[in-house]
Amino acid sequence: MFLERFLAHDADRPALRDTDGRWLSYGELRRRGEQVAASLHNQGIRPGDIVAIHLENGMDLIDAHLGCMALGAVRLPLNAHYREAELAPIVSDAAPALVYTATPERFAGLRCSPVQAEPGLAQPQLWPAHTLTALLYTSGTTGRPKGVPQTFAMWESNLDALAAVWALSDADCLWLALPLFHTHGLVLGLHGTFLRGSRAILAERFEPIVPEAGITHLYGVPTWYRRWLPLMQAHPAAFQALSLMVSGSDGLDAATSDAVYAATGHRILERYGMTETVMICSNPGAGERRAGTVGQPLPGVEVRITDGEIQVRGRSVFSGYRGAPPGHGFTADGWFQTGDSGMWEPATTADPRSAPYLKIIGRTKELIIVGGVNVSPAEVESIYADIPGIREVGACGVADADLSEVVGLAVVTTPDANAAEVRAAIAERGARLSGLKRPRWVIFVASLPRNALGKLQRGALRPLFTPSHSPEAPS
Ligand code: MLC
Ligand code: AMP
């Protein structure tokens, strides 16, 4: 059981280095959790209540998580970069009883029914296991985020599978700069560390640093490795000394994988996951790591490809979106539909007996992945569609050498539109979106590509953003 294993780690064992450089032991983390739990309880929060955590990496965020874990409250990690318009649908759907945030103004217009303290209640019972431990929202392709209930059981089986495949141990030390409001950082990074009793060095945000001695593991997104490359070439020894570099959340290009290998002798380990499933496939810790593939299904996870789509079932797969009809997102025979397309790559001569490796070749869902962060084109469009002078807009992913993709926005104006006013309004509306969702490219076009049924063809928008096309300004 996840909590029992977390509670069993030696109290003196170092667990986490805070962003100010101070090490905290497992005993200290547990004490802090208990203190926060008592304070949450005094504020009227009870096991099973939803508590939103809208914070960047740091001890305030860690304390909030530990407090909820100790009390048995359900954590609602919110992207700390999200603005009011992005938070609104999540807050209205999840209705958290309490919000931890450093920017309360972003919640000013949102109704989050605050709880009433009930004085004189007994001390809470601590570390009770509850069915739900967290609720993570994922960018719905319709533009409305969907709540993905998370259980310790999902996490534990998946993290144990990863530990086996990656040969992880309690001696590992992870450099943890991944934002702790996504599956990657929260589940693999933070809870993976908590489960095994290993160590993590917390960083506020990613910056390409030379790993200090003692760090053994890096988990990151492809953008990070591209930004790290010059440093790896300049200081290869510091990277050679690592045990493992893992990439996920987005496809890693072969050029980066090969350049990292040439500089450090490490083949980056690629793995594939989703908020709904935790990790699905991975290349092995020991054994053949095949660049451009995401390896094989993890123990406890089954993968099939039907009509080109990757479908998954297993212990770590969630049971359904919050508030959605049963079976939504699953096939009739119970497989979760990832919306990613893939193919099996057969065994190679290096290991002819090995099972095939999964290669992700595209997405059937309409999603833009910017620096490992999912962006729904429909959500972006909804921000700009009602600007006076705009008839319609379409958003799509545009290839980017740093972030893999950035958002492109194609705009059709009305005949009487004032170009300067439209441009100014587009720039002003950008403030309603967190930075990675904001369109990097805006082009003006005469019409949007639609199919016979009138449905916007976002794939056909992409070629309009090629450098050879000079954007038309509205007249
Ligand atoms: C930064 N910004 C974000 C953001 N991070 N907006 C939304 N979501 C985020 N996660 C905004 C900032 O507020 C800022 O806005 C602007 O983007 C630029 O910020 P920055 O810090 O200068 O950006 P940059 O250094 O370019 O950061 C990019 C990045 C970082 C790639 C280094 O985003 C990152 O660490 N990404 C990792 C994402 C991740 O963990 N994904 C896992 C998803 S889970 P403004 O307003 O100031 O301009 C998953 C499952 C799986 O996919 O398999 O893992
Ligand atoms: P999220 O909804 O944030 O959990 O993101 C999950 C999505 O990220 C998946 O459905 C994939 O589209 C994408 N993804 C995750 N890992 C990889 C990977 N290794 N290669 C390509 N895409 C990935």
Side-chain angles (χ1 to χ4, degrees), residues 40-74:
L40 283 168
H41 190 263
N42 280 338
Q43 294 174 74
I45 304 295
R46 294 292 170 267
D49 285 350
I50 297 180
V51 173
I53 305 173
H54 177 254
L55 293 169
E56 295 198 61
N57 289 8
M59 272 322 282
D60 287 348
L61 174 145
I62 300 289
D63 283 341
H65 277 277
L66 291 166
C68 291
M69 284 167 66
L71 189 65
V74 179

PDB file of all heavy atoms in Angstrom, residues 40-74:
ATOM      1  N   LEU A  40      -5.674  22.008   8.107  1.00  0.00           N
ATOM      2  CA  LEU A  40      -6.775  21.827   7.148  1.00  0.00           C
ATOM      3  C   LEU A  40      -8.033  21.374   7.883  1.00  0.00           C
ATOM      4  O   LEU A  40      -9.139  21.852   7.620  1.00  0.00           O
ATOM      5  CB  LEU A  40      -6.402  20.759   6.108  1.00  0.00           C
ATOM      6  CG  LEU A  40      -5.445  21.172   4.989  1.00  0.00           C
ATOM      7  CD1 LEU A  40      -4.963  19.943   4.228  1.00  0.00           C
ATOM      8  CD2 LEU A  40      -6.130  22.145   4.027  1.00  0.00           C
ATOM      9  N   HIS A  41      -7.828  20.467   8.821  1.00  0.00           N
ATOM     10  CA  HIS A  41      -8.966  19.944   9.581  1.00  0.00           C
ATOM     11  C   HIS A  41      -9.630  21.073  10.366  1.00  0.00           C
ATOM     12  O   HIS A  41     -10.867  21.181  10.404  1.00  0.00           O
ATOM     13  CB  HIS A  41      -8.463  18.844  10.517  1.00  0.00           C
ATOM     14  CG  HIS A  41      -9.559  18.063  11.169  1.00  0.00           C
ATOM     15  ND1 HIS A  41     -10.021  18.343  12.429  1.00  0.00           N
ATOM     16  CD2 HIS A  41     -10.291  17.020  10.719  1.00  0.00           C
ATOM     17  CE1 HIS A  41     -10.993  17.490  12.729  1.00  0.00           C
ATOM     18  NE2 HIS A  41     -11.175  16.681  11.706  1.00  0.00           N
ATOM     19  N   ASN A  42      -8.804  21.932  10.966  1.00  0.00           N
ATOM     20  CA  ASN A  42      -9.354  23.080  11.701  1.00  0.00           C
ATOM     21  C   ASN A  42     -10.152  24.004  10.795  1.00  0.00           C
ATOM     22  O   ASN A  42     -11.046  24.702  11.239  1.00  0.00           O
ATOM     23  CB  ASN A  42      -8.229  23.906  12.345  1.00  0.00           C
ATOM     24  CG  ASN A  42      -7.765  23.260  13.622  1.00  0.00           C
ATOM     25  OD1 ASN A  42      -8.510  22.474  14.210  1.00  0.00           O
ATOM     26  ND2 ASN A  42      -6.540  23.559  14.026  1.00  0.00           N
ATOM     27  N   GLN A  43      -9.760  24.034   9.531  1.00  0.00           N
ATOM     28  CA  GLN A  43     -10.493  24.887   8.584  1.00  0.00           C
ATOM     29  C   GLN A  43     -11.733  24.180   8.031  1.00  0.00           C
ATOM     30  O   GLN A  43     -12.378  24.695   7.118  1.00  0.00           O
ATOM     31  CB  GLN A  43      -9.577  25.292   7.431  1.00  0.00           C
ATOM     32  CG  GLN A  43      -8.435  26.195   7.883  1.00  0.00           C
ATOM     33  CD  GLN A  43      -7.480  26.449   6.730  1.00  0.00           C
ATOM     34  OE1 GLN A  43      -7.793  27.199   5.811  1.00  0.00           O
ATOM     35  NE2 GLN A  43      -6.322  25.825   6.761  1.00  0.00           N
ATOM     36  N   GLY A  44     -12.009  23.011   8.547  1.00  0.00           N
ATOM     37  CA  GLY A  44     -13.239  22.322   8.149  1.00  0.00           C
ATOM     38  C   GLY A  44     -13.064  21.305   7.043  1.00  0.00           C
ATOM     39  O   GLY A  44     -14.039  20.715   6.583  1.00  0.00           O
ATOM     40  N   ILE A  45     -11.833  21.105   6.579  1.00  0.00           N
ATOM     41  CA  ILE A  45     -11.619  20.120   5.499  1.00  0.00           C
ATOM     42  C   ILE A  45     -11.656  18.716   6.093  1.00  0.00           C
ATOM     43  O   ILE A  45     -11.074  18.459   7.142  1.00  0.00           O
ATOM     44  CB  ILE A  45     -10.249  20.358   4.812  1.00  0.00           C
ATOM     45  CG1 ILE A  45     -10.134  21.785   4.297  1.00  0.00           C
ATOM     46  CG2 ILE A  45     -10.017  19.347   3.691  1.00  0.00           C
ATOM     47  CD1 ILE A  45     -11.086  22.142   3.192  1.00  0.00           C
ATOM     48  N   ARG A  46     -12.317  17.830   5.367  1.00  0.00           N
ATOM     49  CA  ARG A  46     -12.479  16.454   5.834  1.00  0.00           C
ATOM     50  C   ARG A  46     -11.944  15.487   4.783  1.00  0.00           C
ATOM     51  O   ARG A  46     -11.851  15.851   3.606  1.00  0.00           O
ATOM     52  CB  ARG A  46     -13.978  16.153   6.075  1.00  0.00           C
ATOM     53  CG  ARG A  46     -14.595  16.957   7.211  1.00  0.00           C
ATOM     54  CD  ARG A  46     -14.012  16.525   8.573  1.00  0.00           C
ATOM     55  NE  ARG A  46     -14.412  17.430   9.646  1.00  0.00           N
ATOM     56  CZ  ARG A  46     -13.704  18.478  10.066  1.00  0.00           C
ATOM     57  NH1 ARG A  46     -12.550  18.781   9.496  1.00  0.00           N
ATOM     58  NH2 ARG A  46     -14.127  19.227  11.053  1.00  0.00           N
ATOM     59  N   PRO A  47     -11.636  14.249   5.189  1.00  0.00           N
ATOM     60  CA  PRO A  47     -11.184  13.265   4.196  1.00  0.00           C
ATOM     61  C   PRO A  47     -12.168  13.206   3.021  1.00  0.00           C
ATOM     62  O   PRO A  47     -13.386  13.250   3.230  1.00  0.00           O
ATOM     63  CB  PRO A  47     -11.188  11.939   4.981  1.00  0.00           C
ATOM     64  CG  PRO A  47     -10.986  12.356   6.401  1.00  0.00           C
ATOM     65  CD  PRO A  47     -11.676  13.685   6.552  1.00  0.00           C
ATOM     66  N   GLY A  48     -11.630  13.166   1.830  1.00  0.00           N
ATOM     67  CA  GLY A  48     -12.485  13.095   0.634  1.00  0.00           C
ATOM     68  C   GLY A  48     -12.826  14.460   0.056  1.00  0.00           C
ATOM     69  O   GLY A  48     -13.262  14.559  -1.083  1.00  0.00           O
ATOM     70  N   ASP A  49     -12.611  15.553   0.827  1.00  0.00           N
ATOM     71  CA  ASP A  49     -12.843  16.897   0.280  1.00  0.00           C
ATOM     72  C   ASP A  49     -11.758  17.224  -0.755  1.00  0.00           C
ATOM     73  O   ASP A  49     -10.620  16.749  -0.652  1.00  0.00           O
ATOM     74  CB  ASP A  49     -12.795  17.962   1.393  1.00  0.00           C
ATOM     75  CG  ASP A  49     -14.055  17.949   2.249  1.00  0.00           C
ATOM     76  OD1 ASP A  49     -15.017  17.257   1.872  1.00  0.00           O
ATOM     77  OD2 ASP A  49     -14.063  18.620   3.304  1.00  0.00           O
ATOM     78  N   ILE A  50     -12.116  18.071  -1.693  1.00  0.00           N
ATOM     79  CA  ILE A  50     -11.155  18.430  -2.747  1.00  0.00           C
ATOM     80  C   ILE A  50     -10.427  19.722  -2.381  1.00  0.00           C
ATOM     81  O   ILE A  50     -11.053  20.733  -2.052  1.00  0.00           O
ATOM     82  CB  ILE A  50     -11.871  18.568  -4.107  1.00  0.00           C
ATOM     83  CG1 ILE A  50     -12.473  17.210  -4.511  1.00  0.00           C
ATOM     84  CG2 ILE A  50     -10.923  19.085  -5.178  1.00  0.00           C
ATOM     85  CD1 ILE A  50     -13.205  17.208  -5.833  1.00  0.00           C
ATOM     86  N   VAL A  51      -9.102  19.679  -2.420  1.00  0.00           N
ATOM     87  CA  VAL A  51      -8.274  20.847  -2.099  1.00  0.00           C
ATOM     88  C   VAL A  51      -7.424  21.182  -3.322  1.00  0.00           C
ATOM     89  O   VAL A  51      -6.657  20.338  -3.803  1.00  0.00           O
ATOM     90  CB  VAL A  51      -7.358  20.543  -0.886  1.00  0.00           C
ATOM     91  CG1 VAL A  51      -6.369  21.676  -0.647  1.00  0.00           C
ATOM     92  CG2 VAL A  51      -8.199  20.293   0.366  1.00  0.00           C
ATOM     93  N   ALA A  52      -7.592  22.390  -3.843  1.00  0.00           N
ATOM     94  CA  ALA A  52      -6.830  22.782  -5.033  1.00  0.00           C
ATOM     95  C   ALA A  52      -5.450  23.294  -4.626  1.00  0.00           C
ATOM     96  O   ALA A  52      -5.308  23.987  -3.612  1.00  0.00           O
ATOM     97  CB  ALA A  52      -7.585  23.864  -5.795  1.00  0.00           C
ATOM     98  N   ILE A  53      -4.441  22.937  -5.437  1.00  0.00           N
ATOM     99  CA  ILE A  53      -3.064  23.393  -5.171  1.00  0.00           C
ATOM    100  C   ILE A  53      -2.573  24.057  -6.447  1.00  0.00           C
ATOM    101  O   ILE A  53      -2.262  23.386  -7.434  1.00  0.00           O
ATOM    102  CB  ILE A  53      -2.160  22.210  -4.759  1.00  0.00           C
ATOM    103  CG1 ILE A  53      -2.772  21.462  -3.569  1.00  0.00           C
ATOM    104  CG2 ILE A  53      -0.757  22.713  -4.437  1.00  0.00           C
ATOM    105  CD1 ILE A  53      -2.046  20.174  -3.190  1.00  0.00           C
ATOM    106  N   HIS A  54      -2.548  25.386  -6.418  1.00  0.00           N
ATOM    107  CA  HIS A  54      -2.194  26.184  -7.596  1.00  0.00           C
ATOM    108  C   HIS A  54      -0.889  26.898  -7.256  1.00  0.00           C
ATOM    109  O   HIS A  54      -0.858  28.075  -6.929  1.00  0.00           O
ATOM    110  CB  HIS A  54      -3.345  27.165  -7.872  1.00  0.00           C
ATOM    111  CG  HIS A  54      -3.131  28.111  -9.012  1.00  0.00           C
ATOM    112  ND1 HIS A  54      -2.856  29.444  -8.830  1.00  0.00           N
ATOM    113  CD2 HIS A  54      -3.158  27.919 -10.350  1.00  0.00           C
ATOM    114  CE1 HIS A  54      -2.735  30.037 -10.007  1.00  0.00           C
ATOM    115  NE2 HIS A  54      -2.917  29.139 -10.940  1.00  0.00           N
ATOM    116  N   LEU A  55       0.209  26.125  -7.256  1.00  0.00           N
ATOM    117  CA  LEU A  55       1.496  26.668  -6.812  1.00  0.00           C
ATOM    118  C   LEU A  55       2.607  26.138  -7.704  1.00  0.00           C
ATOM    119  O   LEU A  55       2.510  25.041  -8.254  1.00  0.00           O
ATOM    120  CB  LEU A  55       1.792  26.225  -5.369  1.00  0.00           C
ATOM    121  CG  LEU A  55       0.891  26.791  -4.266  1.00  0.00           C
ATOM    122  CD1 LEU A  55       1.144  26.059  -2.955  1.00  0.00           C
ATOM    123  CD2 LEU A  55       1.133  28.298  -4.091  1.00  0.00           C
ATOM    124  N   GLU A  56       3.674  26.934  -7.806  1.00  0.00           N
ATOM    125  CA  GLU A  56       4.863  26.462  -8.512  1.00  0.00           C
ATOM    126  C   GLU A  56       5.676  25.593  -7.556  1.00  0.00           C
ATOM    127  O   GLU A  56       5.439  25.581  -6.345  1.00  0.00           O
ATOM    128  CB  GLU A  56       5.680  27.663  -9.002  1.00  0.00           C
ATOM    129  CG  GLU A  56       4.893  28.444 -10.043  1.00  0.00           C
ATOM    130  CD  GLU A  56       5.765  29.351 -10.881  1.00  0.00           C
ATOM    131  OE1 GLU A  56       6.661  28.836 -11.574  1.00  0.00           O
ATOM    132  OE2 GLU A  56       5.544  30.575 -10.840  1.00  0.00           O
ATOM    133  N   ASN A  57       6.676  24.896  -8.112  1.00  0.00           N
ATOM    134  CA  ASN A  57       7.483  23.996  -7.281  1.00  0.00           C
ATOM    135  C   ASN A  57       8.107  24.730  -6.106  1.00  0.00           C
ATOM    136  O   ASN A  57       8.707  25.797  -6.273  1.00  0.00           O
ATOM    137  CB  ASN A  57       8.616  23.382  -8.125  1.00  0.00           C
ATOM    138  CG  ASN A  57       8.099  22.375  -9.134  1.00  0.00           C
ATOM    139  OD1 ASN A  57       6.895  22.232  -9.310  1.00  0.00           O
ATOM    140  ND2 ASN A  57       9.015  21.679  -9.783  1.00  0.00           N
ATOM    141  N   GLY A  58       8.000  24.145  -4.930  1.00  0.00           N
ATOM    142  CA  GLY A  58       8.592  24.724  -3.729  1.00  0.00           C
ATOM    143  C   GLY A  58       7.979  24.046  -2.523  1.00  0.00           C
ATOM    144  O   GLY A  58       7.069  23.209  -2.660  1.00  0.00           O
ATOM    145  N   MET A  59       8.451  24.390  -1.335  1.00  0.00           N
ATOM    146  CA  MET A  59       7.969  23.695  -0.138  1.00  0.00           C
ATOM    147  C   MET A  59       6.503  23.977   0.156  1.00  0.00           C
ATOM    148  O   MET A  59       5.834  23.153   0.762  1.00  0.00           O
ATOM    149  CB  MET A  59       8.840  24.030   1.082  1.00  0.00           C
ATOM    150  CG  MET A  59      10.048  23.146   1.270  1.00  0.00           C
ATOM    151  SD  MET A  59       9.842  21.367   0.871  1.00  0.00           S
ATOM    152  CE  MET A  59       8.981  20.756   2.317  1.00  0.00           C
ATOM    153  N   ASP A  60       5.978  25.139  -0.248  1.00  0.00           N
ATOM    154  CA  ASP A  60       4.555  25.379  -0.010  1.00  0.00           C
ATOM    155  C   ASP A  60       3.713  24.333  -0.743  1.00  0.00           C
ATOM    156  O   ASP A  60       2.739  23.806  -0.208  1.00  0.00           O
ATOM    157  CB  ASP A  60       4.145  26.781  -0.491  1.00  0.00           C
ATOM    158  CG  ASP A  60       4.665  27.861   0.439  1.00  0.00           C
ATOM    159  OD1 ASP A  60       5.129  27.511   1.551  1.00  0.00           O
ATOM    160  OD2 ASP A  60       4.625  29.051   0.049  1.00  0.00           O
ATOM    161  N   LEU A  61       4.118  24.055  -1.977  1.00  0.00           N
ATOM    162  CA  LEU A  61       3.395  23.037  -2.750  1.00  0.00           C
ATOM    163  C   LEU A  61       3.558  21.653  -2.103  1.00  0.00           C
ATOM    164  O   LEU A  61       2.585  20.911  -1.944  1.00  0.00           O
ATOM    165  CB  LEU A  61       3.912  23.032  -4.194  1.00  0.00           C
ATOM    166  CG  LEU A  61       3.350  21.920  -5.096  1.00  0.00           C
ATOM    167  CD1 LEU A  61       3.180  22.434  -6.518  1.00  0.00           C
ATOM    168  CD2 LEU A  61       4.248  20.696  -5.109  1.00  0.00           C
ATOM    169  N   ILE A  62       4.782  21.330  -1.709  1.00  0.00           N
ATOM    170  CA  ILE A  62       5.029  20.008  -1.101  1.00  0.00           C
ATOM    171  C   ILE A  62       4.211  19.872   0.185  1.00  0.00           C
ATOM    172  O   ILE A  62       3.565  18.849   0.434  1.00  0.00           O
ATOM    173  CB  ILE A  62       6.543  19.834  -0.785  1.00  0.00           C
ATOM    174  CG1 ILE A  62       7.369  19.936  -2.070  1.00  0.00           C
ATOM    175  CG2 ILE A  62       6.808  18.526  -0.035  1.00  0.00           C
ATOM    176  CD1 ILE A  62       7.251  18.800  -3.028  1.00  0.00           C
ATOM    177  N   ASP A  63       4.216  20.927   1.021  1.00  0.00           N
ATOM    178  CA  ASP A  63       3.458  20.878   2.274  1.00  0.00           C
ATOM    179  C   ASP A  63       1.972  20.652   2.003  1.00  0.00           C
ATOM    180  O   ASP A  63       1.307  19.890   2.706  1.00  0.00           O
ATOM    181  CB  ASP A  63       3.633  22.183   3.059  1.00  0.00           C
ATOM    182  CG  ASP A  63       4.989  22.253   3.758  1.00  0.00           C
ATOM    183  OD1 ASP A  63       5.616  21.185   3.944  1.00  0.00           O
ATOM    184  OD2 ASP A  63       5.413  23.371   4.116  1.00  0.00           O
ATOM    185  N   ALA A  64       1.445  21.348   1.005  1.00  0.00           N
ATOM    186  CA  ALA A  64       0.020  21.197   0.694  1.00  0.00           C
ATOM    187  C   ALA A  64      -0.283  19.750   0.298  1.00  0.00           C
ATOM    188  O   ALA A  64      -1.270  19.163   0.748  1.00  0.00           O
ATOM    189  CB  ALA A  64      -0.380  22.160  -0.427  1.00  0.00           C
ATOM    190  N   HIS A  65       0.595  19.170  -0.519  1.00  0.00           N
ATOM    191  CA  HIS A  65       0.380  17.766  -0.905  1.00  0.00           C
ATOM    192  C   HIS A  65       0.455  16.842   0.304  1.00  0.00           C
ATOM    193  O   HIS A  65      -0.382  15.947   0.475  1.00  0.00           O
ATOM    194  CB  HIS A  65       1.406  17.339  -1.965  1.00  0.00           C
ATOM    195  CG  HIS A  65       1.001  17.729  -3.351  1.00  0.00           C
ATOM    196  ND1 HIS A  65       0.132  16.980  -4.107  1.00  0.00           N
ATOM    197  CD2 HIS A  65       1.327  18.796  -4.111  1.00  0.00           C
ATOM    198  CE1 HIS A  65      -0.059  17.567  -5.280  1.00  0.00           C
ATOM    199  NE2 HIS A  65       0.661  18.679  -5.309  1.00  0.00           N
ATOM    200  N   LEU A  66       1.488  17.042   1.128  1.00  0.00           N
ATOM    201  CA  LEU A  66       1.656  16.155   2.288  1.00  0.00           C
ATOM    202  C   LEU A  66       0.471  16.287   3.242  1.00  0.00           C
ATOM    203  O   LEU A  66      -0.013  15.293   3.792  1.00  0.00           O
ATOM    204  CB  LEU A  66       2.964  16.488   3.019  1.00  0.00           C
ATOM    205  CG  LEU A  66       4.244  16.126   2.254  1.00  0.00           C
ATOM    206  CD1 LEU A  66       5.448  16.814   2.896  1.00  0.00           C
ATOM    207  CD2 LEU A  66       4.447  14.608   2.233  1.00  0.00           C
ATOM    208  N   GLY A  67      -0.002  17.527   3.437  1.00  0.00           N
ATOM    209  CA  GLY A  67      -1.148  17.754   4.326  1.00  0.00           C
ATOM    210  C   GLY A  67      -2.381  17.009   3.829  1.00  0.00           C
ATOM    211  O   GLY A  67      -3.098  16.370   4.601  1.00  0.00           O
ATOM    212  N   CYS A  68      -2.622  17.088   2.526  1.00  0.00           N
ATOM    213  CA  CYS A  68      -3.780  16.383   1.955  1.00  0.00           C
ATOM    214  C   CYS A  68      -3.603  14.872   2.065  1.00  0.00           C
ATOM    215  O   CYS A  68      -4.558  14.142   2.368  1.00  0.00           O
ATOM    216  CB  CYS A  68      -3.969  16.763   0.494  1.00  0.00           C
ATOM    217  SG  CYS A  68      -4.514  18.455   0.274  1.00  0.00           S
ATOM    218  N   MET A  69      -2.367  14.405   1.822  1.00  0.00           N
ATOM    219  CA  MET A  69      -2.127  12.965   1.948  1.00  0.00           C
ATOM    220  C   MET A  69      -2.393  12.509   3.383  1.00  0.00           C
ATOM    221  O   MET A  69      -2.988  11.452   3.615  1.00  0.00           O
ATOM    222  CB  MET A  69      -0.676  12.634   1.568  1.00  0.00           C
ATOM    223  CG  MET A  69      -0.409  12.650   0.077  1.00  0.00           C
ATOM    224  SD  MET A  69       1.363  12.636  -0.308  1.00  0.00           S
ATOM    225  CE  MET A  69       1.896  11.031   0.282  1.00  0.00           C
ATOM    226  N   ALA A  70      -1.930  13.306   4.348  1.00  0.00           N
ATOM    227  CA  ALA A  70      -2.092  12.918   5.756  1.00  0.00           C
ATOM    228  C   ALA A  70      -3.569  12.923   6.156  1.00  0.00           C
ATOM    229  O   ALA A  70      -4.015  12.079   6.919  1.00  0.00           O
ATOM    230  CB  ALA A  70      -1.285  13.850   6.657  1.00  0.00           C
ATOM    231  N   LEU A  71      -4.320  13.873   5.633  1.00  0.00           N
ATOM    232  CA  LEU A  71      -5.730  13.992   6.029  1.00  0.00           C
ATOM    233  C   LEU A  71      -6.646  13.087   5.204  1.00  0.00           C
ATOM    234  O   LEU A  71      -7.762  12.792   5.610  1.00  0.00           O
ATOM    235  CB  LEU A  71      -6.167  15.459   5.863  1.00  0.00           C
ATOM    236  CG  LEU A  71      -7.541  15.815   6.417  1.00  0.00           C
ATOM    237  CD1 LEU A  71      -7.558  15.655   7.936  1.00  0.00           C
ATOM    238  CD2 LEU A  71      -7.930  17.239   6.044  1.00  0.00           C
ATOM    239  N   GLY A  72      -6.152  12.681   4.023  1.00  0.00           N
ATOM    240  CA  GLY A  72      -7.025  11.912   3.135  1.00  0.00           C
ATOM    241  C   GLY A  72      -7.891  12.817   2.278  1.00  0.00           C
ATOM    242  O   GLY A  72      -8.945  12.397   1.790  1.00  0.00           O
ATOM    243  N   ALA A  73      -7.456  14.073   2.086  1.00  0.00           N
ATOM    244  CA  ALA A  73      -8.176  14.970   1.180  1.00  0.00           C
ATOM    245  C   ALA A  73      -7.729  14.680  -0.253  1.00  0.00           C
ATOM    246  O   ALA A  73      -6.646  14.146  -0.479  1.00  0.00           O
ATOM    247  CB  ALA A  73      -7.886  16.422   1.539  1.00  0.00           C
ATOM    248  N   VAL A  74      -8.588  15.034  -1.212  1.00  0.00           N
ATOM    249  CA  VAL A  74      -8.273  14.787  -2.634  1.00  0.00           C
ATOM    250  C   VAL A  74      -7.562  16.016  -3.184  1.00  0.00           C
ATOM    251  O   VAL A  74      -8.097  17.125  -3.136  1.00  0.00           O
ATOM    252  CB  VAL A  74      -9.563  14.539  -3.445  1.00  0.00           C
ATOM    253  CG1 VAL A  74      -9.247  14.301  -4.913  1.00  0.00           C
ATOM    254  CG2 VAL A  74     -10.341  13.376  -2.851  1.00  0.00           C
TER     255      VAL A  74
END
